[in-house]
Amino acid sequence: MKQFNPKPWFLPQTVIIIGTYDEDGTPNAMNAAWAGTWDNDKIMISMGNHQTTLNLNRCPDFTVAFATKETLVASDYVGIISGRKAKDKVAQTGWTAVKGEKVNAPVFTDFPMTMECRIERKIDESATGYYIVADILNIQVKEEYLAEDGKPDVEKMHLITFDPVHLGYLEIGQRVGNAFKDGAQLK
Ligand SMILES: Cc1cc2nc3c(=O)[nH]c(=O)nc-3n(C[C@H](O)[C@H](O)[C@H](O)COP(=O)(O)O)c2cc1C
């Protein structure tokens, strides 16, 4: 085994797009990979100091869209360009923004699935950002991405994951097993 010093190489990493409104109501979006589940109805995000952070300090509402192969280029764009410098950066993505059902934040309808969230807690707040714990208030899924049982069909979504080692995006592939079940073969 080759040994490496500590690096943020936790695998696999999500690619989420955080949607907020600027002070004047313009939709903004940013890419985040350091995020995950906190509890059954809560998520966490490691948030730096961005335009999004300013927006969240003013209003705790935001959306989380899960990035796909089809939205990859624009998803990366919103991760390298700040709304602080590029006013209305979302216009450049070509995405369509509509107001959330439960939160005062934009839902980008180009994504299969979007969570509507509200900050419940900020942890270790400093000039460089904070860790967000947020309540999931609603989940929107486009009809064409539903499975026969009426729930989201993750396999249909072409979701991407961030490779922090070689700075790439990988497409999430096919279902290869059954959770809480296949392990029983070894009982
Ligand atoms: C692949 C990728 C992952 C990123 N992950 C995070 C993250 O987890 N947390 C964070 O604060 N910024 C992250 N960023 C950086 C922000 O997306 C970036 O600074 C963005 O321009 C902020 O936009 P804003 O200033 O308009 O809010 C990531 C960027 C990329 C490209």
PDB file of all heavy atoms in Angstrom, residues 47 53 56-57 121-131:
ATOM      1  N   MET A  47     -19.297  25.504   4.154  1.00  0.00           N
ATOM      2  CA  MET A  47     -19.492  26.709   3.345  1.00  0.00           C
ATOM      3  C   MET A  47     -18.355  27.697   3.551  1.00  0.00           C
ATOM      4  O   MET A  47     -18.090  28.110   4.681  1.00  0.00           O
ATOM      5  CB  MET A  47     -20.839  27.346   3.759  1.00  0.00           C
ATOM      6  CG  MET A  47     -21.186  28.634   3.068  1.00  0.00           C
ATOM      7  SD  MET A  47     -21.333  28.473   1.289  1.00  0.00           S
ATOM      8  CE  MET A  47     -22.750  27.397   1.179  1.00  0.00           C
ATOM      9  N   THR A  53     -22.679  32.902   0.637  1.00  0.00           N
ATOM     10  CA  THR A  53     -22.606  33.077   2.092  1.00  0.00           C
ATOM     11  C   THR A  53     -23.276  34.391   2.500  1.00  0.00           C
ATOM     12  O   THR A  53     -24.040  34.426   3.476  1.00  0.00           O
ATOM     13  CB  THR A  53     -21.131  33.066   2.556  1.00  0.00           C
ATOM     14  OG1 THR A  53     -20.403  32.126   1.753  1.00  0.00           O
ATOM     15  CG2 THR A  53     -21.026  32.663   4.015  1.00  0.00           C
ATOM     16  N   LEU A  56     -26.919  33.869   2.279  1.00  0.00           N
ATOM     17  CA  LEU A  56     -27.437  33.034   3.377  1.00  0.00           C
ATOM     18  C   LEU A  56     -27.426  33.781   4.709  1.00  0.00           C
ATOM     19  O   LEU A  56     -28.252  33.508   5.575  1.00  0.00           O
ATOM     20  CB  LEU A  56     -26.599  31.756   3.493  1.00  0.00           C
ATOM     21  CG  LEU A  56     -26.791  30.753   2.357  1.00  0.00           C
ATOM     22  CD1 LEU A  56     -25.766  29.629   2.462  1.00  0.00           C
ATOM     23  CD2 LEU A  56     -28.210  30.184   2.372  1.00  0.00           C
ATOM     24  N   ASN A  57     -26.519  34.730   4.848  1.00  0.00           N
ATOM     25  CA  ASN A  57     -26.503  35.527   6.080  1.00  0.00           C
ATOM     26  C   ASN A  57     -27.728  36.444   6.141  1.00  0.00           C
ATOM     27  O   ASN A  57     -28.182  36.813   7.221  1.00  0.00           O
ATOM     28  CB  ASN A  57     -25.213  36.348   6.165  1.00  0.00           C
ATOM     29  CG  ASN A  57     -24.008  35.464   6.440  1.00  0.00           C
ATOM     30  OD1 ASN A  57     -24.157  34.310   6.839  1.00  0.00           O
ATOM     31  ND2 ASN A  57     -22.824  35.997   6.218  1.00  0.00           N
ATOM     32  N   ARG A 121     -28.744  25.696  11.783  1.00  0.00           N
ATOM     33  CA  ARG A 121     -27.616  25.958  12.665  1.00  0.00           C
ATOM     34  C   ARG A 121     -26.371  26.271  11.848  1.00  0.00           C
ATOM     35  O   ARG A 121     -26.162  25.669  10.788  1.00  0.00           O
ATOM     36  CB  ARG A 121     -27.320  24.686  13.462  1.00  0.00           C
ATOM     37  CG  ARG A 121     -26.834  24.903  14.859  1.00  0.00           C
ATOM     38  CD  ARG A 121     -26.626  23.595  15.586  1.00  0.00           C
ATOM     39  NE  ARG A 121     -27.534  22.511  15.249  1.00  0.00           N
ATOM     40  CZ  ARG A 121     -27.233  21.229  15.475  1.00  0.00           C
ATOM     41  NH1 ARG A 121     -26.071  20.886  15.985  1.00  0.00           N
ATOM     42  NH2 ARG A 121     -28.103  20.282  15.184  1.00  0.00           N
ATOM     43  N   LYS A 122     -25.570  27.225  12.342  1.00  0.00           N
ATOM     44  CA  LYS A 122     -24.245  27.457  11.753  1.00  0.00           C
ATOM     45  C   LYS A 122     -23.222  27.045  12.797  1.00  0.00           C
ATOM     46  O   LYS A 122     -23.349  27.438  13.956  1.00  0.00           O
ATOM     47  CB  LYS A 122     -24.058  28.930  11.408  1.00  0.00           C
ATOM     48  CG  LYS A 122     -24.968  29.449  10.314  1.00  0.00           C
ATOM     49  CD  LYS A 122     -24.772  30.952  10.173  1.00  0.00           C
ATOM     50  CE  LYS A 122     -25.743  31.537   9.183  1.00  0.00           C
ATOM     51  NZ  LYS A 122     -25.726  33.022   9.221  1.00  0.00           N
ATOM     52  N   ILE A 123     -22.207  26.316  12.382  1.00  0.00           N
ATOM     53  CA  ILE A 123     -21.195  25.826  13.316  1.00  0.00           C
ATOM     54  C   ILE A 123     -19.843  26.428  12.952  1.00  0.00           C
ATOM     55  O   ILE A 123     -19.499  26.537  11.768  1.00  0.00           O
ATOM     56  CB  ILE A 123     -21.132  24.277  13.266  1.00  0.00           C
ATOM     57  CG1 ILE A 123     -22.489  23.689  13.684  1.00  0.00           C
ATOM     58  CG2 ILE A 123     -20.027  23.739  14.161  1.00  0.00           C
ATOM     59  CD1 ILE A 123     -22.606  22.187  13.488  1.00  0.00           C
ATOM     60  N   ASP A 124     -19.096  26.832  13.982  1.00  0.00           N
ATOM     61  CA  ASP A 124     -17.740  27.396  13.804  1.00  0.00           C
ATOM     62  C   ASP A 124     -17.745  28.581  12.828  1.00  0.00           C
ATOM     63  O   ASP A 124     -16.921  28.651  11.897  1.00  0.00           O
ATOM     64  CB  ASP A 124     -16.763  26.326  13.283  1.00  0.00           C
ATOM     65  CG  ASP A 124     -16.374  25.332  14.364  1.00  0.00           C
ATOM     66  OD1 ASP A 124     -16.729  25.563  15.538  1.00  0.00           O
ATOM     67  OD2 ASP A 124     -15.742  24.321  14.018  1.00  0.00           O
ATOM     68  N   GLU A 125     -18.654  29.525  13.038  1.00  0.00           N
ATOM     69  CA  GLU A 125     -18.750  30.684  12.136  1.00  0.00           C
ATOM     70  C   GLU A 125     -17.505  31.559  12.283  1.00  0.00           C
ATOM     71  O   GLU A 125     -17.085  31.878  13.386  1.00  0.00           O
ATOM     72  CB  GLU A 125     -20.010  31.490  12.483  1.00  0.00           C
ATOM     73  CG  GLU A 125     -20.382  32.473  11.405  1.00  0.00           C
ATOM     74  CD  GLU A 125     -21.784  33.046  11.605  1.00  0.00           C
ATOM     75  OE1 GLU A 125     -22.493  32.600  12.538  1.00  0.00           O
ATOM     76  OE2 GLU A 125     -22.140  33.941  10.828  1.00  0.00           O
ATOM     77  N   SER A 126     -16.904  31.929  11.147  1.00  0.00           N
ATOM     78  CA  SER A 126     -15.735  32.811  11.158  1.00  0.00           C
ATOM     79  C   SER A 126     -15.719  33.592   9.849  1.00  0.00           C
ATOM     80  O   SER A 126     -16.610  33.423   9.012  1.00  0.00           O
ATOM     81  CB  SER A 126     -14.440  31.991  11.276  1.00  0.00           C
ATOM     82  OG  SER A 126     -14.155  31.371  10.031  1.00  0.00           O
ATOM     83  N   ALA A 127     -14.679  34.390   9.660  1.00  0.00           N
ATOM     84  CA  ALA A 127     -14.580  35.203   8.440  1.00  0.00           C
ATOM     85  C   ALA A 127     -14.443  34.329   7.196  1.00  0.00           C
ATOM     86  O   ALA A 127     -14.727  34.760   6.079  1.00  0.00           O
ATOM     87  CB  ALA A 127     -13.383  36.140   8.551  1.00  0.00           C
ATOM     88  N   THR A 128     -13.996  33.095   7.376  1.00  0.00           N
ATOM     89  CA  THR A 128     -13.792  32.226   6.209  1.00  0.00           C
ATOM     90  C   THR A 128     -14.999  31.340   5.902  1.00  0.00           C
ATOM     91  O   THR A 128     -14.976  30.568   4.952  1.00  0.00           O
ATOM     92  CB  THR A 128     -12.553  31.322   6.403  1.00  0.00           C
ATOM     93  OG1 THR A 128     -12.743  30.547   7.593  1.00  0.00           O
ATOM     94  CG2 THR A 128     -11.281  32.140   6.535  1.00  0.00           C
ATOM     95  N   GLY A 129     -16.047  31.453   6.718  1.00  0.00           N
ATOM     96  CA  GLY A 129     -17.252  30.674   6.439  1.00  0.00           C
ATOM     97  C   GLY A 129     -17.752  29.940   7.657  1.00  0.00           C
ATOM     98  O   GLY A 129     -17.445  30.324   8.799  1.00  0.00           O
ATOM     99  N   TYR A 130     -18.490  28.857   7.429  1.00  0.00           N
ATOM    100  CA  TYR A 130     -19.044  28.064   8.535  1.00  0.00           C
ATOM    101  C   TYR A 130     -19.579  26.739   7.999  1.00  0.00           C
ATOM    102  O   TYR A 130     -19.663  26.531   6.785  1.00  0.00           O
ATOM    103  CB  TYR A 130     -20.163  28.823   9.259  1.00  0.00           C
ATOM    104  CG  TYR A 130     -21.131  29.594   8.375  1.00  0.00           C
ATOM    105  CD1 TYR A 130     -22.130  28.931   7.652  1.00  0.00           C
ATOM    106  CD2 TYR A 130     -21.066  30.975   8.272  1.00  0.00           C
ATOM    107  CE1 TYR A 130     -23.019  29.628   6.856  1.00  0.00           C
ATOM    108  CE2 TYR A 130     -21.953  31.686   7.475  1.00  0.00           C
ATOM    109  CZ  TYR A 130     -22.931  31.013   6.771  1.00  0.00           C
ATOM    110  OH  TYR A 130     -23.802  31.697   5.973  1.00  0.00           O
ATOM    111  N   TYR A 131     -19.916  25.869   8.937  1.00  0.00           N
ATOM    112  CA  TYR A 131     -20.578  24.618   8.578  1.00  0.00           C
ATOM    113  C   TYR A 131     -22.076  24.826   8.762  1.00  0.00           C
ATOM    114  O   TYR A 131     -22.507  25.304   9.805  1.00  0.00           O
ATOM    115  CB  TYR A 131     -20.087  23.458   9.457  1.00  0.00           C
ATOM    116  CG  TYR A 131     -18.606  23.223   9.316  1.00  0.00           C
ATOM    117  CD1 TYR A 131     -17.706  23.785  10.205  1.00  0.00           C
ATOM    118  CD2 TYR A 131     -18.113  22.467   8.252  1.00  0.00           C
ATOM    119  CE1 TYR A 131     -16.339  23.604  10.056  1.00  0.00           C
ATOM    120  CE2 TYR A 131     -16.749  22.275   8.092  1.00  0.00           C
ATOM    121  CZ  TYR A 131     -15.868  22.851   8.999  1.00  0.00           C
ATOM    122  OH  TYR A 131     -14.520  22.674   8.843  1.00  0.00           O
TER     123      TYR A 131
END
